[in-house]
């Protein structure tokens, strides 16, 4: 288990035996959830608990349907090989990501795997009511895919500002949603527990748990989607949400004094200057699929001379302006780019972006790694599922209300 971190339980001062047991159960479950299948011996070393305690905890988590033990592969070692303990995909969440052009809905297992996915293409930007109707219909149609799994709830990764206390939309400007009780409406339509979060926060949590941002340090995530650019910050495994839960709005970093006007009222925001549709317009592509845009990006950058190549060059320069500020403020270990930003990175290469970022980096500091999101187009769905799993990972003894199906009830 290379580089595994120990999720040490909180102080046990004044805690009861039940409190300590819950903390230990959560510690083991978080470990296998994050790091994948581990032997009991590896879990023992990582947690510092004794073998008999680990045996009892694994047994209880298994009875609760949260972990499974799989036979170990045959190896040429003396003694009996130890089975591996893994997060169970009998515990699942439904993940939802609304965008201007499509609504994605997926069934995600506690292991972090997307088990089943449906993509609904919007003919036009949906209203809140239309979104709720589409999602509830898709979930109803997905029920055969649930099998005997327990669905712990619905997580929504929203491209906008969210009031975390009740899952209401404060403002999702590109969707045209404002002051809407989204969590309540989806809950009423589906009968399930619903958690709503900002999509970029979901993305950085997913990447820091399963992808390019694993490990300690400062991780910055920027995603370029149809609804603009969002960002998220994780420090030593913990999301930095800000006072109202809206930290990381890097899309509104000023990158041009003569740029286009943003919906926020400012001029030259990153999300107005670095956009896939601006490249499509410059390259004269018209209505094309995403794969065709990626191919066109590659061709335009290779040829350089045309309008498409010039637009890529402009966007990369604007992105570098934002990254300079971000790097100087946060001094991150890793900057992760998703969506259109990841496509730009793949086309021009990290060295080109680092070269443009470098002039204002502090002297004597190491350059952050700039990488594309490893989870690719499943990123926000996996992050949305993490919204739901957070309650169970915090206390595996508490069953969420309104669980659909049930591996737990057997």
């Amino acid at each position: 288990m290379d580089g595994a971190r120990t999720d040490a339980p909180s102080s046990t001062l004044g805690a009861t035996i039940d409190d300590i047991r819950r903390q230990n159960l959560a510690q083991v479950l978080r470990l296998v959830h994050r790091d994948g299948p581990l032997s009991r011996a590896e879990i023992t070393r990582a947690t510092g608990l004794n073998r008999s305690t680990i045996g009892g905890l694994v047994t209880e988590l298994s009875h609760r349907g949260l972990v499974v033990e799989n036979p170990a592969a045959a190896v040429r070692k003396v003694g009996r090989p130890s089975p591996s303990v893994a997060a169970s995909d009998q515990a699942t969440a439904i993940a939802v990501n609304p965008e201007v052009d499509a609504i994605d809905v997926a069934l995600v297992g506690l292991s972090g795997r997307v088990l089943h996915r449906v993509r609904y293409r919007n003919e036009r930007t949906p209203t809140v009511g239309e979104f709720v109707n589409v999602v509830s219909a898709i979930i109803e149609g997905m029920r055969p895919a649930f099998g005997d799994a327990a669905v712990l709830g619905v997580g929504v990764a929203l491209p906008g500002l969210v009031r975390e206390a009740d899952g209401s939309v404060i403002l999702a400007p590109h969707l045209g949603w404002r002051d809407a009780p989204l969590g309540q409406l989806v809950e009423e339509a589906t009968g399930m527990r619903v958690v709503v979060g900002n999509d970029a926060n979901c993305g950085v949590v997913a990447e820091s748990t399963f992808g390019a941002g694993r490990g300690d340090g400062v991780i910055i995530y920027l995603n370029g989607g149809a609804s603009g650019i969002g960002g998220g910050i994780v420090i030593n495994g913990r999301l930095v949400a800000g006072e109202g839960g809206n930290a990381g709005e890097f899309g509104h970093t000023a990158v041009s004094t003569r740029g286009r006007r943003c919906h926020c009222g400012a001029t030259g925001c990153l999300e107005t200057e670095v956009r896939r549709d601006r490249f499509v317009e410059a390259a004269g592509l018209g209505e094309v699929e995403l794969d065709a845009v990626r191919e066109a990006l590659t061709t335009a950058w290779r040829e350089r001379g045309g309008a498409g190549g010039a637009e890529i060059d402009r966007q990369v320069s604007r992105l570098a302006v934002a990254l300079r500020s971000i790097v100087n403020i946060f001094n991150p270990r890793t900057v992760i780019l998703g969506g259109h930003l990841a496509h730009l990175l793949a086309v021009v290469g990290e060295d080109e972006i680092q070269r443009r970022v470098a002039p204002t980096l502090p002297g004597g500091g190491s350059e952050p790694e700039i990488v594309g999101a490893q989870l690719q187009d499943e990123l926000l769905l996996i992050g949305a599922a993490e919204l739901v799993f957070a309650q169970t990972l915090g206390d595996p003894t508490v069953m969420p209300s309104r669980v659909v199906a049930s591996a737990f009830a057997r």
Side-chain angles (χ1 to χ4, degrees):
M1 183 183 58
D2 296 334
R5 297 177 299 169
T6 300
D7 288 316
S10 59
S11 171
T12 56
L13 184 63
T16 66
I17 291 176
D18 282 344
D19 292 335
I20 295 171
R21 179 177 62 86
R22 283 193 293 268
Q23 291 173 2
N24 290 340
L25 286 167
Q27 186 181 9
V28 171
L29 183 59
R30 288 195 300 266
L31 190 64
V32 298
H33 170 67
R34 185 190 66 220
D35 291 348
L38 300 170
S39 69
R40 290 192 180 192
E42 289 173 316
I43 296 171
T44 299
R45 287 195 295 271
T47 61
L49 301 172
N50 64 50
R51 287 187 297 174
S52 62
T53 298
I54 291 299
L57 295 171
V58 168
T59 297
E60 181 170 348
L61 289 170
S62 179
H63 287 162
R64 291 181 177 277
L66 297 174
V67 303
V68 292
E69 287 197 89
N70 300 310
V75 293
R76 294 184 178 179
K77 290 184 179 180
V78 176
R80 186 174 61 186
S82 174
S84 65
V85 181
S88 173
D89 284 341
Q90 291 300 303
T92 65
I94 293 172
V96 182
N97 175 220
E99 266 290 6
V100 173
D101 56 347
I103 299 169
D104 276 308
V105 182
L107 185 69
V108 182
L110 189 59
S111 69
R113 292 193 307 125
V114 173
L115 307 174
H116 184 77
R117 181 175 179 178
V118 174
R119 184 172 177 81
Y120 177 86
R121 294 194 176 277
N122 301 321
E123 294 183 1
R124 56 181 174 79
T125 304
T127 65
V128 171
E130 289 168 343
F131 164 75
V132 172
N133 289 338
V134 168
V135 168
S136 60
I138 291 174
I139 291 174
E140 188 62 33
M142 287 173 59
R143 286 180 183 269
F146 297 170
D148 61 355
V151 181
L152 304 181
V154 178
V156 181
L158 180 80
L161 304 181
V162 177
R163 187 163 58 241
E164 293 183 340
D166 61 3
S168 292
V169 178
I170 299 172
L171 175 65
H174 297 279
L175 291 169
W177 301 354
R178 181 190 294 270
D179 298 327
L182 187 66
Q184 176 186 334
L185 293 172
V186 176
E187 187 168 303
E188 290 172 353
T190 63
M192 300 184 195
R193 181 174 71 99
V194 177
V195 190
V196 184
N198 172 264
D199 62 343
N201 284 345
C202 290
V204 74
V205 167
E207 278 292 325
S208 63
T209 304
F210 301 110
R214 294 181 64 183
D216 289 333
V218 179
I219 311 299
I220 302 294
Y221 168 71
L222 287 87
N223 182 66
S227 291
I229 293 177
I233 310 157
V234 163
I235 299 179
N236 295 332
R238 294 186 179 277
L239 177 69
V240 178
E243 185 68 23
N246 300 310
E249 284 293 322
F250 299 126
H252 297 287
T253 304
V255 297
S256 174
T257 58
R258 294 183 294 178
R260 296 183 179 180
R261 191 164 184 83
C262 180
H263 66 83
C264 74
T267 297
C269 289
L270 177 64
E271 73 170 41
T272 64
E273 296 299 303
V274 182
R275 298 182 62 86
R276 184 177 68 212
D277 56 7
R278 290 193 66 166
F279 169 76
V280 169
E281 179 184 349
L285 297 180
E287 293 291 332
V288 294
E289 294 294 326
L290 182 57
D291 287 345
V293 176
R294 293 172 184 167
E295 292 176 9
L297 282 165
T298 302
T299 301
W301 185 247
R302 184 172 59 242
E303 296 176 353
R304 301 288 177 94
E311 177 62 17
I312 293 173
D313 184 75
R314 188 195 66 80
Q315 291 198 21
V316 171
S317 292
R318 298 292 188 269
L319 175 60
V321 172
L323 291 178
R324 284 183 210 140
S325 296
I326 291 168
V327 168
N328 285 334
I329 293 168
F330 292 98
N331 187 27
R333 170 174 66 84
T334 306
V335 175
I336 302 171
L337 303 180
H340 176 60
L341 307 185
H343 300 155
L344 288 176
L345 173 64
V347 167
V348 307
E350 182 184 2
D351 288 347
E352 178 66 20
I353 292 180
Q354 289 280 17
R355 182 181 68 81
R356 302 191 192 201
V357 172
T360 59
L361 287 176
S366 59
E367 292 182 347
E369 185 180 23
I370 300 176
V371 299
Q374 287 184 0
L375 303 180
Q376 299 180 14
D377 67 344
E378 293 182 341
L379 174 69
L380 299 183
L381 294 171
I382 293 171
E386 289 294 291
L387 293 172
V388 176
F389 294 143
Q391 182 181 49
T392 300
L393 292 169
D395 185 354
T397 68
V398 175
M399 277 301 300
S401 60
R402 299 177 299 283
V403 172
V404 177
S406 190
F408 297 97
R410 293 177 304 184

